[in-house]
Structure formats: structure tokens, C-alpha cells
């Protein structure tokens, strides 16, 4: 498979972007039953580059009519069995081929996410590696999952079989467009389901490119379909559909709650939710290298412009080191200024759109009004005279009552709290409706084990932030959701157990 050379410099990425978006370069139509088609209504919406304001494309705006058509094709494909009943080892080969195609088109896929939502190209390339690894891992898992033979008397053979669910709808957000897609779609396909993907209206382009690659890899007709469009139209239609067996969602807690209602109002479809967070990062005074910890604490919030579900947005620092430590965090933050997303040196890019830009600035204003101490950032900025950028912003003296200390901002805003005792640190950390991630920095192994067990969180990072690979499940507790992406556990979510009790004695 030939691989186009990977651009290295800002100028080379700019040239590749210009080539990609020139003429009819971008696929913007829905992918239904193996072909690209306009939305039934003919409606489209704009996809805009938030770093420049440039309109990239007009994309098909699907609605309930398209959802109905896609669901009926998905069901027909599932019942037909070309994929659902294919031997797992054969499904594996197709998915590995898809991963190879993604690898061959890595620069293009990364570029689509960067142009669509403003994240730095280096970050998008990292996402692509994660997305490809996810397809490979799930493909490799599927022919190694065994059913069970239950322990019965010899007059019976009792089998526990694993079967695909049927039609799975995946609704995903815009912050890691293709990686979040992979976390949902790869295990659902590997398990033998028909999958309908609804990408975010803010980042639909890479999903449409993935559809073309999936077809090239040999996924049968109707097994993977992509419906771009808005949540309140096509997303809602999928969530209310009587023909969808499972809805796998990543997005905000508010929309997650709405989807639970839709599932209850329709067919009690299985629902997996990966929702928001306000993750605490606990720094104890016994840490050896505070410069290193401060750098990681800054990266934990400012990576991807703070548009990360597990952003370490609440920094809890033991008061004995707080002043000195905040100075180090501020210094690290100031070295992470936003830059052109097409520059491989940029650590932060643009906010995804005007709504998000405005929302983050509003939180910053509320932080100041509520009496928190602004230590860095705080004002919108531009890069090369344009774009929706916000620099790393640090508030000290935050309390749990303040909006910036409680609500998910989803932007580059760090809220710093102080604590005196381990007990107080755990209480502050768990004082949130969310429970997605938590970090803990200490050299004391007894403390590490005590605190880790007491943190109400789907994942805990000890002396790192956001560590993990495909072998680790990813998900939250409390209002951060109930599903688990990645690892072989996600395959279990997309399959059902069938109990077979066979009487042998006649
Ligand atoms: P969002 O909830 O606004 O949208 C997510 C998706 O849901 C989009 O595709 C959107 O079109 C769709 N949607 C919106 N309303 C809908 C409705 N009524 N019916 C059906 N679909 C609907 O979230 P967002 O702004 O795209 O993403 C940011 C949120 O995602 C943050 O809260 C973040 O924490 C969360 N997130 C969570 C994880 C995780 O793994 N837990 C990962 C990434 C992002």
C-alpha cells in the first residue's frame, strides 16, 4: 500500500490542506447503504475552520427520513448475515485492512480533524494513532473471545453464547472526532453489529472519509453508515428509533440525560453513555520534582485547548507548597500559548466554534466576578490576526461554590484549590456530580493506595495524567456516564449473552 509522504513543516501542512480542500476534494454527503448521497431533504450545513473562519464545505444535513432509511438498511444487512454471521476471524481481516487504510491515509484524516475543529496537527496525528490502534486491538480480540459451557450434570449441555446486538447507533462529539468514533465503531463492528454513526455537526469530515475507507476495506453493504447532521434532528431520530437496538453516546451529560428519556420513550434500547467531567488532580507536598509535576498539571488542562472530557480542570494543591507550585504552573501555562493548528510546533489550537469560544470567555468573566484570583490568561486572542483562540487561563483561590470550580467549562481554564489534609483533599475531589478521571501525585505508596481507593472516579492516574492504552477500559461513574470504551470489555457491551440449555437424556 503506497503511503503519501507525511508533511513535516507548517508550510508543508498548509500546502497539503490547500490541496485537500481545493475543488471537489472533500466528501460531504451522507454514506447510506454503500453509496454517498445527499440528505433526503437536500439540506446542508456549513463546516468552518475555527482557526481562520474559512468555510471548508457544505455538508449533508440528515434528519429523521435519512435515519429511517439507514436503520432499515442496517437491519437488512444484519439479518442477511454477511457480517453478523461471518466467522470472527474473517471480520478481523476486514477490520485490520481498514486499519491499514487508515494508516495509509493518516495525514489526510488528521488534517480533516484539524481543519474542522481547530486542534493542533500534532494532536490530531496522535489521535489517528489511537484510532488505528483501537481498530487493530478490537479486530485482534474478536476471534479470541470464547463462550462458556456451564457446569451441569451430564444429562445436560448448557452453553452461554455471545451474539451481536443488531443495529447500533453511535453518536459522537467533536473534540477527538475520529478517535471517539473509533472507540465506539471498532468494537461494535468487530462484535458483528450493523453500525450507524452520527458524527458531531462541528466535525463531520473525517467520519465521511472513514466511510469511504471502510467500503474499500470490504465491509459489506449497509453494515457501516454515516449520517452527518444535527443532534436535535438526525441524532434524536436515531435515539427514538424503534429499529435501533443499542445507542452508544459520547458527549455532554445534559444530552446523555435526554437520550435516557428517548430510550425509555421508544424501545428501551440499550444505552451506553460517556459524558462530561470536572476532573480533580491532587498534588501532595511530598512530590520530589515539582517542576515536572507542574508541567504535567498544566498539560492536563491545556492539552487540546482544554476541550477534553478528562481535562484536569480542578488542581488541588497541598497548602504547604501551594504558592510556589502555582508559580511553576503559571510559568508552564505561559509557555503553551495557542498557535496555528497547522504548525507542528503548536501545543494549543483554536476553540471549536464561536459558541464554545463565547461560553469559555463567559466562565472566565464569572470566575473574576465570583472572586477567584486570575493568575494567567483571561482574554481572547488571535493567531496571524484571526481565529477563535483563548490562551491558558489559571485561577487561584477557587472554592467549590464558584461556577469555574464546579461546572465543566471544556476550555483552557484551570481552577486551583488549596487543601491541608488528605481527608480534605479527598472530600474536595469527590465534591462533584462527575466522576470521570482523577490524578494523584505523591511519593507515599500508602497514601497512594488509600486515596486511589477513595476517589469516586472511573480512572485514576498516579504520578501521570491521562496514561493508558488499548488494554484499559475508559469511562466514568456518577454523571460522567455508565459505559466503558476500549479494551475487551467494550466488546462485551456490544454483544449479548444467549443461554442454551440442551437436554441430552431422552
Ligand atoms: P454534545 O452532548 O453537545 O453533543 C454530542 C453529540 O450528541 C453530537 O453528535 C450532537 O449532535 C449529539 N446530540 C446533541 N443533542 C442531541 C439530541 N437531542 N439527540 C441526539 N443527539 C444529540 O457534546 P459535545 O459538545 O459534542 O462534546 C462535548 C462533551 O462531550 C463534553 O461534555 C465532554 O466532556 C464530553 N465527552 C466525553 C467523553 C467521555 O469519554 N466521557 C469523551 C469526549 C467528550
Amino acid at each position: 500500500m503506497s503511503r503519501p509522504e507525511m508533511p513535516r513543516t507548517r508550510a508543508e501542512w498548509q500546502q497539503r490542506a490547500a490541496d485537500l480542500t481545493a475543488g471537489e476534494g472533500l466528501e460531504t454527503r451522507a454514506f447510506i447503504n454503500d453509496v454517498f448521497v445527499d440528505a433526503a431533504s437536500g439540506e446542508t450545513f456549513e463546516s468552518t475552520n475555527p482557526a481562520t473562519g474559512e468555510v471548508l464545505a457544505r455538508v449533508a444535513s440528515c434528519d429523521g427520513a435519512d435515519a429511517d432509511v439507514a436503520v432499515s438498511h442496517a437491519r437488512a444487512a444484519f439479518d442477511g448475515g454477511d457480517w453478523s454471521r461471518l466467522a470472527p476471524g474473517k471480520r478481523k481481516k476486514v477490520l485490520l485492512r481498514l486499519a491499514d487504510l487508515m494508516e495509509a491515509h493518516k495525514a489526510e484524516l488528521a488534517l480533516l480533524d484539524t481543519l474542522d475543529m481547530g486542534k493542533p496537527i500534532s494532536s490530531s496525528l496522535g489521535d489517528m494513532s489511537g484510532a488505528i490502534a483501537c481498530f487493530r486491538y478490537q479486530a485482534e480480540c474478536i476471534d479470541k473471545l470464547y463462550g462458556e459451557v456451564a457446569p451441569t450434570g451430564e444429562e445436560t449441555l448448557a452453553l452461554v453464547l455471545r451474539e451481536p446486538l443488531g443495529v447500533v447507533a453511535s453518536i459522537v462529539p467533536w473534540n477527538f472526532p475520529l478517535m471517539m468514533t473509533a472507540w465506539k465503531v471498532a468494537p461494535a463492528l468487530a462484535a458483528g453489529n450493523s453500525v450507524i454513526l452520527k458524527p458531531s455537526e462541528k466535525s463531520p469530515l473525517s467520519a465521511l472519509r472513514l466511510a469511504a475507507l471502510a467500503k474499500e476495506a470490504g465491509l459489506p453493504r449497509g453494515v457501516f453508515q454515516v449520517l452527518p447532521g444535527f443532534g436535535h434532528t438526525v441524532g434524536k431520530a436515531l435515539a427514538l428509533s424503534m429499529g435501533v437496538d443499542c445507542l452508544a453516546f459520547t458527549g455532554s451529560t445534559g444530552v446523555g440525560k435526554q437520550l435516557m428519556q428517548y430510550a425509555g420513550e421508544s424501545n428501551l434500547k440499550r444505552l451506553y453513555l460517556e459524558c462530561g467531567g470536572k476532573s480533580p488532580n491532587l498534588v501532595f507536598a511530598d512530590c520530589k520534582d515539582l517542576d515536572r509535576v507542574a508541567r504535567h498539571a498544566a498539560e492536563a488542562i491545556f492539552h487540546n485547548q482544554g476541550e477534553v472530557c478528562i481535562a484536569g480542570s480542578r488542581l488541588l494543591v497541598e497548602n504547604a507548597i501551594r504558592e510556589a507550585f502555582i508559580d511553576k504552573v503559571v510559568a508552564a501555562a505561559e509557555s503553551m500559548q495557542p498557535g496555528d493548528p497547522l504548525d507542528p510546533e503548536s501545543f494549543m489550537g483554536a476553540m471549536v466554534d464561536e459558541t464554545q469560544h463565547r461560553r469559555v470567555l463567559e466562565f472566565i468573566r464569572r470566575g473574576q466576578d465570583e472572586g477567584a484570583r486570575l493568575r494567567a490568561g483571561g482574554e481572547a486572542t488571535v493567531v496571524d490576526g484571526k481565529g477563535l483562540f483563548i490562551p491558558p487561563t489559571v485561577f487561584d483561590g477557587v472554592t467549590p461554590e464558584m461556577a469555574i470550580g464546579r461546572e465543566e467549562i471544556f476550555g483552557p481554564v484551570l481552577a486551583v484549590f488549596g487543601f491541608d489534609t488528605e481527608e480534605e483533599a479527598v472530600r474536595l475531589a469527590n465534591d462533584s456530580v462527575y466522576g470521570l478521571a482523577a490524578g494523584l501525585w505523591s511519593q507515599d505508596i500508602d497514601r497512594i493506595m488509600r486515596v486511589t481507593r477513595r476517589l469516586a472516579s472511573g480512572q485514576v492516574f498516579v504520578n501521570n495524567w491521562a496514561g493508558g492504552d488499548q488494554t484499559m477500559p475508559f469511562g466514568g461513574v456518577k454523571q460522567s456516564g455508565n459505559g466503558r470504551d476500549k479494551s475487551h470489555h467494550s466488546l462485551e457491551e456490544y454483544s449479548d449473552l444467549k443461554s442454551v440449555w440442551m437436554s441430552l437424556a431422552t
Side-chain angles (χ1 to χ4, degrees):
M1 201 171 296
S2 73
R3 290 187 187 181
E5 215 166 289
M6 183 68 72
R8 288 177 201 284
T9 63
R10 181 182 183 189
E12 284 173 11
W13 279 108
Q14 284 171 331
Q15 185 56 51
R16 186 69 76 87
D19 295 346
L20 186 62
T21 52
E24 303 292 300
L26 297 174
E27 183 52 75
T28 57
R29 295 166 296 169
F31 185 69
I32 299 178
N33 205 28
D34 231 22
V35 283
F36 285 101
V37 290
D38 292 329
S41 65
E43 294 291 318
T44 58
F45 64 92
E46 268 180 10
S47 161
T48 306
N49 179 348
T52 61
E54 175 200 357
V55 176
L56 295 165
R58 293 203 65 90
V59 178
S61 187
C62 295
D63 62 19
D66 305 285
D68 287 347
V69 173
V71 169
S72 69
H73 288 304
R75 175 66 54 197
F78 187 78
D79 291 346
D82 287 352
W83 184 252
S84 56
R85 295 201 293 275
L86 192 66
K90 292 188 176 163
R91 292 206 293 266
K92 163 172 133 175
K93 278 191 184 148
V94 176
L95 293 177
L96 288 177
R97 214 177 298 137
L98 174 54
D100 288 346
L101 285 166
M102 291 167 72
E103 183 94 57
H105 293 271
K106 189 173 178 181
E108 177 190 353
L109 292 167
L111 201 44
L112 288 173
D113 279 356
T114 285
L115 294 174
D116 228 1
M117 60 73 66
K119 71 194 301 167
I121 191 68
S122 55
S123 174
S124 293
L125 285 170
D127 294 358
M128 292 316 121
S129 299
I132 294 163
C134 181
F135 269 98
R136 291 202 170 122
Y137 181 93
Q138 298 297 341
E140 285 292 355
C141 270
I142 194 62
D143 64 352
K144 295 161 190 79
L145 269 192
Y146 288 77
E148 293 167 6
V149 178
T152 61
E154 62 182 33
E155 70 285 1
T156 302
L157 181 60
L159 307 177
V160 183
L161 306 179
R162 248 184 205 288
E163 297 191 338
L165 300 173
V167 177
V168 173
S170 303
I171 299 182
V172 295
W174 46 264
N175 61 334
F176 293 90
L178 201 67
M179 197 167 84
M180 292 298 102
T181 291
W183 287 12
K184 298 283 183 237
V185 168
L189 284 176
N193 299 285
S194 295
V195 177
I196 302 171
L197 169 69
K198 193 209 88 62
S200 169
E201 60 278 14
K202 299 180 187 186
S203 59
L205 297 177
S206 59
L208 293 169
R209 190 68 187 99
L210 182 70
L213 297 179
K215 177 174 176 165
E216 193 178 335
L219 271 167
R221 175 182 291 269
V223 168
F224 179 54
Q225 304 178 88
V226 181
L227 302 181
F230 291 91
H232 62 274
T233 55
V234 65
K236 181 175 176 181
L238 288 168
L240 282 169
S241 170
M242 299 299 284
V244 169
D245 301 295
C246 169
L247 180 59
F249 171 75
T250 301
S252 61
T253 294
V255 173
K257 290 180 179 182
Q258 182 84 71
L259 297 183
M260 277 195 152
Q261 287 188 353
Y262 294 157
E265 280 170 32
S266 54
N267 59 346
L268 274 188
K269 55 180 63 64
R270 194 170 299 209
L271 182 59
Y272 297 122
L273 301 174
E274 308 288 345
C275 298
K278 187 76 181 174
S279 298
N281 197 5
L282 283 61
V283 179
F284 288 91
D286 63 32
C287 289
K288 265 199 248 147
D289 183 350
L290 287 179
D291 288 309
R292 179 177 158 268
V293 179
R295 175 107 207 142
H296 281 284
E299 284 178 4
I301 173 68
F302 301 126
H303 169 60
N304 213 46
Q305 312 76 242
E307 295 167 329
V308 183
C309 55
I310 56 163
S313 52
R314 289 187 295 146
L315 181 61
L316 278 49
V317 187
E318 192 165 347
N319 280 326
I321 55 163
R322 181 162 147 218
E323 276 306 322
F325 189 73
I326 292 175
D327 288 345
K328 292 179 193 298
V329 172
V330 167
E334 279 170 350
S335 71
M336 295 175 184
Q337 296 305 313
D340 178 0
L342 291 175
D343 184 344
E345 299 299 318
S346 296
F347 177 75
M348 277 173 58
M351 305 310 295
V352 68
D353 65 4
E354 277 172 19
T355 310
Q356 188 64 11
H357 189 245
R358 212 174 22 248
R359 187 170 178 274
V360 174
L361 292 173
E362 174 62 15
F363 269 109
I364 292 174
R365 195 191 54 71
R366 281 173 78 183
Q368 289 169 299
D369 289 352
E370 288 179 335
R373 196 153 55 104
L374 183 65
R375 295 289 307 269
E379 300 281 346
T381 184
V382 287
V383 170
D384 297 334
K386 52 194 174 211
L388 303 168
F389 296 88
I390 298 178
T393 296
V394 179
F395 279 105
D396 185 20
V398 180
T399 62
E401 300 72 41
M402 295 179 186
I404 57 165
R406 201 178 59 246
E407 292 183 35
E408 184 183 46
I409 300 175
F410 223 53
V413 182
L414 178 64
V416 185
F417 299 68
F419 67 83
D420 288 315
T421 63
E422 186 180 301
E423 193 62 30
E424 188 187 2
V426 170
R427 186 172 45 73
L428 275 172
N430 289 342
D431 183 13
S432 171
V433 298
Y434 299 110
L436 192 53
L440 162 56
W441 301 81
S442 170
Q443 297 300 313
D444 177 344
I445 186 68
D446 296 337
R447 163 178 283 154
I448 288 171
M449 286 316 300
R450 269 193 315 269
V451 175
T452 295
R453 287 182 190 282
R454 292 185 62 196
L455 289 170
S457 177
Q459 44 248 310
V460 177
F461 307 118
V462 178
N463 291 327
N464 74 88
W465 186 267
D469 61 15
Q470 296 302 317
T471 63
M472 295 293 281
F474 184 101
V477 298
K478 301 200 280 185
Q479 293 187 35
S480 290
N482 56 15
R484 288 294 179 272
D485 286 329
K486 302 199 303 175
S487 86
H488 65 86
H489 294 289
S490 65
L491 280 173
E492 290 159 14
E493 293 193 341
Y494 294 109
S495 55
D496 231 339
L497 299 179
K498 178 182 276 178
S499 299
V500 183
W501 186 269
M502 297 170 64
S503 296
L504 301 181
T506 52

